[in-house]
Amino acid sequence: MKNKFFLATTPVFLVLQAACYWTIKLFQSDYHTFDFWIDNAIPFVPAFVYVYNLFYPYTLVCFYLLYRADREKYTRTLIAGIISVLACYAVYLVYPTVMVRPDASPLGGITGRFLAFTYAMDEPAVNCCPSIHCLFAFLVMGSGFFSDKIKKSLKVVFFAGSLLIVFSTFFIKQHYVLDAVTALAVYLGAWFAAGKIHRR
């Protein structure tokens, strides 16, 4: 079966990551928050909730395309992803953060209800820094950038889609800018660490 390794890795990884994310919440208290001018300057755009919720299907599809095109970079990306989320979980346990979100209930309409539902599914809005959403976006973006077997057109899709997901976390006030910056730093460190592990 051509896709056996993929099915045994990425879907399992995403499910375990989500399960661990929710489990960690049970052991946290005394949350910290940030108040930077740049976050206050970013407008609240509820419509980006649709982009935000493409996170899992987008990651799954992009990882599959990477798997079919470049097995070596897929394996390295997967290792980097495991290292990254473990690093994020360690930070969450030591320094848990919380996002102060606007009230979505007065918005009304399909978008308002969908945003309120999205908020409710991640209540309380903790474990923000580094952002797992942004981390996976960077994993996808980086896999396209570092692979010489991914077509240029697909690289553009990887980059643009990932960038939209990162921006969506800001526009629906689900993450601070610092959450994305730290996620990028974690990803880069994990990518180079994964390179050393993968060469062994």
Side-chain angles (χ1 to χ4, degrees), residues 18-181:
C20 290
Y21 174 85
W22 286 100
T23 301
I24 287 175
K25 287 188 175 186
L26 302 176
F27 301 95
Q28 293 174 308
S29 61
D30 190 23
Y31 300 113
H32 305 273
T33 189
F34 306 117
D35 186 21
F36 298 123
W37 68 267
I38 191 170
D39 298 299
N40 297 323
I42 296 174
F44 176 48
V45 188
F48 267 86
V49 67
Y50 299 107
V51 178
Y52 178 85
N53 279 285
L54 287 175
F55 168 64
Y56 279 114
Y58 172 78
T59 301
L60 195 63
V61 170
C62 289
F63 272 32
Y64 178 70
L65 293 174
L66 175 65
Y67 171 81
R68 294 298 298 268
D70 192 339
R71 193 70 57 88
E72 181 182 352
K73 286 298 186 297
Y74 169 80
T75 303
R76 182 173 174 179
T77 299
L78 190 65
I79 295 171
I82 294 171
I83 295 172
S84 296
V85 295
L86 290 176
C88 288
Y89 295 155
V91 175
Y92 297 161
L93 290 170
V94 174
Y95 194 83
T97 54
V98 63
M99 181 74 188
V100 179
R101 301 181 298 197
D103 184 8
S105 55
L107 294 175
I110 296 175
T111 298
R113 289 194 292 270
F114 190 36
L115 182 60
F117 172 76
T118 299
Y119 282 173
M121 291 298 292
D122 190 24
E123 184 65 39
V126 297
N127 297 336
C128 298
C129 185
S131 164
I132 291 289
H133 244 75
C134 294
L135 171 64
F136 276 90
F138 291 135
L139 281 166
V140 171
M141 188 186 298
S143 68
F145 178 80
F146 289 116
S147 174
D148 56 2
K149 296 181 181 179
I150 296 289
K151 295 180 180 179
K152 288 184 178 180
S153 58
L154 200 55
K155 286 177 183 284
V156 172
V157 172
F158 278 20
F159 183 84
S162 297
L163 209 57
L164 280 172
I165 286 178
V166 171
F167 286 159
S168 75
T169 68
F170 305 150
F171 288 133
I172 68 168
K173 302 301 177 179
Q174 189 73 355
H175 281 287
Y176 299 104
V177 172
L178 182 62
D179 301 343
V181 173

